[in-house]
Amino acid sequence: MADSKREIERKYAATAATRLPDLSRVAGVFAVAHRGVSELDAVYYDTEDLRLAADSLTLRRRTGGSDAGWHLKFPVASGIRDELREPLSDVLPRSFAGLLRSRVRDRALVPVVRLVSARDVHHLLDAEGALLAEVSVDRVRAERLTGGAGTAAWTEIEAELAGDGDPAFLDAVERRLRKAGIRPSASPSKLSRALAETAPKRRKSRAGREEAPTGRKKSPAVKPRGKPTAGDHVLAYVRRQAEAIVALDPAVRRDLPDSVHQLRVATRRLRSALRTYRKILDRDVTDPVGAELKWLAAELGIDRDQEVLDARLRSGLDALPRTLALGPVRGRLRIWSVARRNGSRRRTVALLDGKRYLALLESLDALLAAPPLLPAASRAPERALPRAVLKEYRRLATRIGHALELPPGHGRDLAVHEARKAAKRVRYAAEAARPALGRPAKRFAKRMKAVQSLLGDHQDSVVTREALRTLAVQAHAAGEPAFTWGLLYGREEAAAAARERELPEIWERASRAELRAALGG
């Protein structure tokens, strides 16, 4: 795995004549150590259509300085990026190729810009000599390597926080720079400025219109339309979820907390939108995509469901008095969990590297490039969207009514699970409609989430009881006491019964007629 660090930095505009002010006067700074000038030579890579730059990702191979090697940067927030590093080599590191696959796919990565910088480095130190921040004056020369042969040159100042320091320290540095007349840069990164300033110039045609360097006429601008349509809102939601899948892919590969869960949620939201808004998007086109999204969510669920189950079982054991934990229960649980999760991470990464998953990403791009809009897509969102949301609501109402009519037992458990899936679809449908319908959709989604959460807790109890029965059988076969597993089974059974008793009240609040009327359907 590549080395990783959180990069927190700020950039400031400068000229060749700019001089740093006395930074020893910044609060907390005991001394400023001049580390001299180093030469940095970096080649930045991207696809020919600049897919990485479009998502604010940076991939470079740099020589010179203390951190020569391959660098890959992912944006976190304004001025904050996660930087991954691999040793210097002639070819792109395999780990980086995987992290970029959801965006690059089968496109080649080519050199796009070369930056040669003379970096004059100053270290801001505290009273113990520890590094607080590095401030450098960079004199940069940029050369376009593809799509033209433009060049550019500029000077900038960069202030980067050291280690796990307090970002507020950079505020103090900035105040000192501003007093000296130095202002923040308009460009978020050297690469973005280089791409902008070395871009091929467009020339005027005889008719006075701009033409691309190839001579191909620039596409005419789309004339402003009136109020967004129902199709506009649905497509915006679909696009957000598709972009979330692409963005979360590297997080899953890096094994970041909750990343698998978030990727699965984005997948389910997207599939739900395609199913709910069938009057707006042609299902002949979206159904095959939805089937692949269902497959992806199911595959991701293997890991996530086991993670949730493990946490619930451990929590149940932690809640028991020590005197009731008979036998090697924690060791038994650990062995069972490891056996079920063995190789799960390798399986997930292999899934993301597979042709089927990459084909799904391509199909999402194609769907968004040529949306299969139906006539209803042109309607006002205030008319079309509530109808779709309330149709999902009626399905949920039928399923909950059926579940409440059944006696406790396996049949009711199955019915509650089906109601849970319906509740999730209603919630996602309302969330998709929220930008158009505003507060009523937000309130409706919140009530549906409460129903979904209760039904989800009930389903978790059902699954946990199945696991507890398995653990009890294994313990008994090994000559261990099964008492604790039976005790936990009883507690889960009681928890499920409590959720069933709460359901009528939660549903009554969620199904009030005024909530539906406020949607406008």
Side-chain angles (χ1 to χ4, degrees):
M1 181 62 69
D3 293 333
S4 176
K5 61 168 285 191
R6 178 61 56 88
E7 179 184 81
I8 302 177
E9 65 179 18
R10 300 182 188 180
K11 296 182 181 296
Y12 301 88
T15 67
T18 301
R19 296 292 179 268
L20 288 176
D22 183 4
L23 296 177
S24 65
R25 298 178 65 182
V26 174
V29 175
F30 182 78
V32 178
H34 184 209
R35 300 305 186 193
V37 179
S38 59
E39 293 290 333
L40 308 177
D41 191 339
V43 175
Y44 290 76
Y45 290 78
D46 206 333
T47 58
E48 288 190 355
D49 55 357
L50 302 179
R51 291 185 169 212
L52 303 186
D55 286 345
S56 301
L57 270 68
T58 299
L59 172 65
R60 72 185 177 201
R61 181 185 183 274
R62 188 163 78 181
T63 57
S66 60
D67 61 348
W70 286 90
H71 302 164
L72 176 58
K73 300 185 182 185
F74 289 92
V76 176
S78 178
I80 304 176
R81 295 186 290 184
D82 279 344
E83 180 180 276
L84 282 68
R85 298 178 180 177
E86 288 280 15
L88 196 63
S89 63
D90 292 334
V91 297
L92 177 69
R94 185 175 180 180
S95 64
F96 283 7
L99 293 172
L100 296 172
R101 187 160 288 118
S102 66
R103 291 177 170 87
V104 174
R105 296 168 209 170
D106 61 352
R107 280 74 171 177
L109 286 167
V110 297
V112 293
V113 167
R114 181 186 182 196
L115 297 183
V116 179
S117 305
R119 170 164 289 182
D120 192 6
V121 179
H122 300 76
H123 284 178
L124 309 188
L125 309 175
D126 65 12
E128 284 72 42
L131 181 64
L132 297 170
E134 178 179 290
V135 178
S136 63
V137 180
D138 296 344
R139 290 173 174 82
V140 185
R141 301 190 308 276
E143 176 188 1
R144 191 82 169 211
L145 302 178
T146 186
T151 61
W154 69 89
T155 300
E156 68 180 32
I157 294 172
E158 186 177 289
E160 181 176 348
L161 192 68
D164 56 355
D166 185 354
F169 178 71
L170 292 183
D171 295 336
V173 174
E174 180 164 314
R175 286 193 292 271
R176 186 64 185 155
L177 294 174
R178 282 181 174 272
K179 283 185 179 180
I182 298 170
R183 296 292 181 265
S185 172
S187 298
S189 69
K190 288 182 175 67
L191 176 60
S192 63
R193 180 167 183 173
L195 289 173
E197 295 192 11
T198 65
K201 303 297 183 183
R202 295 183 180 274
R203 63 177 182 268
K204 295 286 186 178
S205 68
R206 293 181 180 179
R209 293 189 295 268
E210 284 189 346
E211 289 185 345
T214 59
R216 180 168 45 85
K217 291 182 179 179
K218 183 179 179 182
S219 299
V222 177
K223 293 182 179 180
R225 296 191 305 168
K227 193 174 181 181
T229 64
D232 293 332
H233 282 282
V234 172
L235 284 175
Y237 183 81
V238 168
R239 182 172 286 105
R240 285 196 300 273
Q241 304 314 315
E243 291 172 349
I245 292 173
V246 170
L248 286 163
D249 176 301
V252 171
R253 295 173 186 270
R254 294 170 62 195
D255 203 20
L256 297 185
D258 205 37
S259 56
V260 174
H261 173 58
Q262 293 301 323
L263 178 56
R264 190 185 188 197
V265 168
T267 302
R268 284 179 160 178
R269 281 179 169 151
L270 179 48
R271 176 173 176 252
S272 180
L274 296 181
R275 294 179 67 186
T276 295
Y277 295 105
R278 288 175 172 177
K279 298 290 186 182
I280 292 172
L281 296 174
D282 188 349
R283 64 180 298 178
D284 287 343
V285 176
T286 62
D287 278 1
V289 178
E292 291 302 282
L293 290 168
K294 181 180 181 180
W295 159 78
L296 177 59
E299 291 292 327
L300 294 171
I302 296 172
D303 221 13
R304 172 61 182 173
D305 291 346
Q306 185 62 35
E307 180 184 348
V308 172
L309 180 56
D310 287 351
R312 192 174 181 106
L313 289 168
R314 287 195 301 270
S315 178
L317 281 176
D318 291 342
L320 285 180
R322 288 178 124 187
T323 54
L324 298 180
L326 305 184
V329 289
R330 293 190 182 277
R332 168 65 55 191
L333 177 58
R334 184 165 52 253
I335 293 170
W336 178 83
S337 297
V338 169
R340 289 172 63 92
R341 300 192 70 181
N342 185 37
S344 61
R345 173 162 169 73
R346 289 194 301 273
R347 184 176 60 246
T348 299
V349 173
L351 168 76
L352 300 183
D353 284 337
K355 292 182 179 179
R356 186 173 180 179
Y357 167 70
L358 296 179
L360 169 58
L361 298 184
E362 292 289 342
S363 68
L364 291 174
D365 283 353
L367 187 150
L368 289 167
L373 296 173
L374 296 173
S378 62
R379 295 175 185 166
E382 295 82 1
R383 293 183 55 199
L385 302 189
R387 294 179 183 176
V389 175
L390 294 177
K391 182 178 179 180
E392 297 293 348
Y393 165 81
R394 289 190 291 271
R395 178 184 289 106
L396 170 61
T398 299
R399 292 188 181 182
I400 286 186
H402 175 61
L404 291 175
E405 291 173 353
L406 295 173
H410 181 65
R412 176 181 274 194
D413 290 344
L414 292 177
V416 169
H417 181 46
E418 291 301 313
R420 171 179 173 262
K421 291 189 287 186
K424 189 177 298 185
R425 282 180 62 178
V426 182
R427 173 193 167 193
Y428 290 161
E431 288 176 349
R434 180 181 171 186
L437 305 182
R439 187 177 179 187
K442 179 181 178 180
R443 290 181 61 205
F444 194 74
K446 184 177 180 181
R447 295 295 175 87
M448 292 302 116
K449 183 179 179 180
V451 175
Q452 177 196 331
S453 297
L454 183 144
L455 298 176
D457 193 56
H458 182 279
Q459 175 63 14
D460 288 346
S461 177
V462 171
V463 174
T464 303
R465 276 181 277 156
E466 293 174 359
L468 287 167
R469 185 181 182 281
T470 299
L471 286 162
V473 170
Q474 292 177 352
H476 179 73
E480 301 166 4
F483 169 83
T484 301
W485 306 118
L487 178 61
L488 291 175
Y489 188 101
R491 289 192 169 195
E492 287 291 349
E493 200 168 41
R499 300 293 87 76
E500 291 175 15
R501 290 193 298 271
E502 293 169 15
L503 178 56
E505 181 181 350
I506 295 293
W507 176 241
E508 190 278 329
R509 289 202 298 266
S511 59
R512 289 175 181 169
E514 58 266 27
L515 286 173
R516 303 194 299 279
L519 288 175

